[in-house]
Amino acid sequence: MTATWVQVLAGYLHLLAVAVYVGGSIAMEFVLGPAQSYVPPAQAQVIGQRSADRFLVLVWGALALFPISGLLLFFSLGDQHTLSGMQFFTTRYGQTLLGMIVLWAVLVVNGAIITFVLRPRLAQRASAQGGGSGVAQRLEVMQSAVKWVSHISRIDLGIAVVIVLLGASLAYGDGIL
Amino acid sequence: MRVALGFLFTLAWAVYLGGALAMELVWRPVQRDIPPSQIGAMCRWMGRRYRWLGLGALGLAAVTWLAWRGLGGTVLLASRPAAAVPPAASGWPVAAMVACWGCLAAMVLAMGVLLHPRSHARWRAGAHAADAAAARRRKVRALRTMDVLLRVELAVALSTTALVVLPSGPRIGWAA
């Protein structure tokens, strides 16, 4: 009985994490992002910054929830026997799970790059310090950061969709790798 | 086929629920620091796009679930004999899930087709004062109703997610 409720809780949290990451990214990328072109650029920058700050909190929460709920689900389903010894590398089930873990790690690395490298660059203000060339240089750094954040976000969305596909193949089959 | 349906259902539900969560937890708080005229400009465009995204995701979830039912409606975890999964898609969780889906579709439709256009209604500069006041009242009422509906929608969506993962529930979309 307890195991069943652990399964339900783990399944719920896992699905919630997927929703926050995938659905949230789609809403940010295809709804909230383009809508910013309907307000003046300065205001759009403020909206973009605040919404990204808030969404990053959700993203990190979801990334943390994936392994926690995944492990809970894995052990509550009694799947340990399927991955004993070298089965992690030799069976389709193990290889698919390994693929999901590797892709999750890529999402974490990309998330860290956005949060700790690119976002601080975007938060810089183009002050007059350093003269005209300093302002131009800072603007160039910011534009480059915007471009990279956009590229990485789209790549992350693609990776997350592939993870969902791998997850579905484990839940309804025996893996696809 | 089972994998494809499970994948599409999970994706559709994730898009719908995640979109609702992002709107509530990201967009709503951000609105507090923006001038109302600019919120209006963004909301008008976002509402139109989000209506199709929400309805599309709900529609895809329904179609994949019905197809799943057509295939027998049970979760066959062939690689997991220890899981002892009971036959799925039976009893009150399924009925509750269908009812919740109906409520969600009705709410998204009501917001997209009725309330959202009303909340952006404009009145002509030369309109009669009484007409303008009535239009303004309708607009405020639509905005308030939408505000409440959005929260109810999120609560129903979160409850439906719980029904999806219940052992006696449909179980489809349970990507683990």
Side-chain angles (χ1 to χ4, degrees), chain A residues 4-5 7-12 14-16 18-20 22-24 26-36 38-40 43 46-47 50-52 54-55 58 73 77-79 81-82 93 100 161-162 164-174 176, chain B residues 2-3 5-7 10-11 13-19 21-23 25-27 29-30 32-35 38-39 41-42 45-47 49-50 53 68 75-83 85 157-159 161-162 164-167 171-176:
Chain A
T4 308
W5 284 107
Q7 275 177 37
V8 170
L9 180 69
Y12 186 78
H14 215 54
L15 203 49
L16 199 63
V18 172
V20 166
V22 178
I26 287 176
M28 293 292 289
E29 192 70 31
F30 299 108
V31 181
L32 189 52
Q36 286 169 29
Y38 289 83
V39 294
Q43 195 70 51
V46 173
I47 293 169
R50 292 195 182 152
S51 57
R54 286 191 151 267
F55 186 60
L58 292 180
L73 208 46
L77 283 167
D79 274 357
H81 69 281
T82 58
Y93 184 87
M100 285 175 75
V161 171
V162 173
V164 175
L165 178 63
L166 295 179
S169 79
L170 289 182
Y172 311 113
D174 59 353
I176 49 172
Chain B
R2 286 199 312 268
V3 171
L5 288 175
F7 165 66
T10 309
L11 201 60
W13 196 252
V15 167
Y16 177 73
L17 181 63
L21 281 167
M23 290 299 146
L25 301 175
V26 177
W27 173 235
V30 167
R32 286 181 205 131
D33 310 316
I34 310 171
Q38 291 176 7
I39 295 174
M42 282 182 76
W45 189 86
M46 283 166 68
R49 181 164 272 205
Y50 188 67
L53 190 71
W68 180 265
V75 175
L76 300 169
L77 298 174
S79 63
R80 305 181 196 182
V85 177
L158 287 169
S159 310
T161 308
V164 169
V165 297
L166 271 182
R171 294 287 281 257
I172 184 172
W174 197 35

Side-chain angles (χ1 to χ4, degrees), chain A residues 36-114:
Chain A
Q36 286 169 29
S37 61
Y38 289 83
V39 294
Q43 195 70 51
Q45 196 194 348
V46 173
I47 293 169
Q49 231 162 47
R50 292 195 182 152
S51 57
D53 285 345
R54 286 191 151 267
F55 186 60
L56 273 177
V57 174
L58 292 180
V59 162
W60 281 111
L63 284 174
L65 208 53
F66 281 134
I68 296 169
S69 56
L71 279 172
L72 260 181
L73 208 46
F74 180 71
F75 286 108
S76 65
L77 283 167
D79 274 357
Q80 300 92 306
H81 69 281
T82 58
L83 292 179
S84 55
M86 288 298 285
Q87 283 177 313
F88 214 109
F89 305 98
T90 55
T91 62
R92 261 165 62 142
Y93 184 87
Q95 285 169 350
T96 304
L97 195 55
L98 191 61
M100 285 175 75
I101 294 169
V102 169
L103 290 177
W104 170 82
V106 173
L107 291 184
V108 171
V109 171
N110 283 351
I113 290 171
I114 289 177

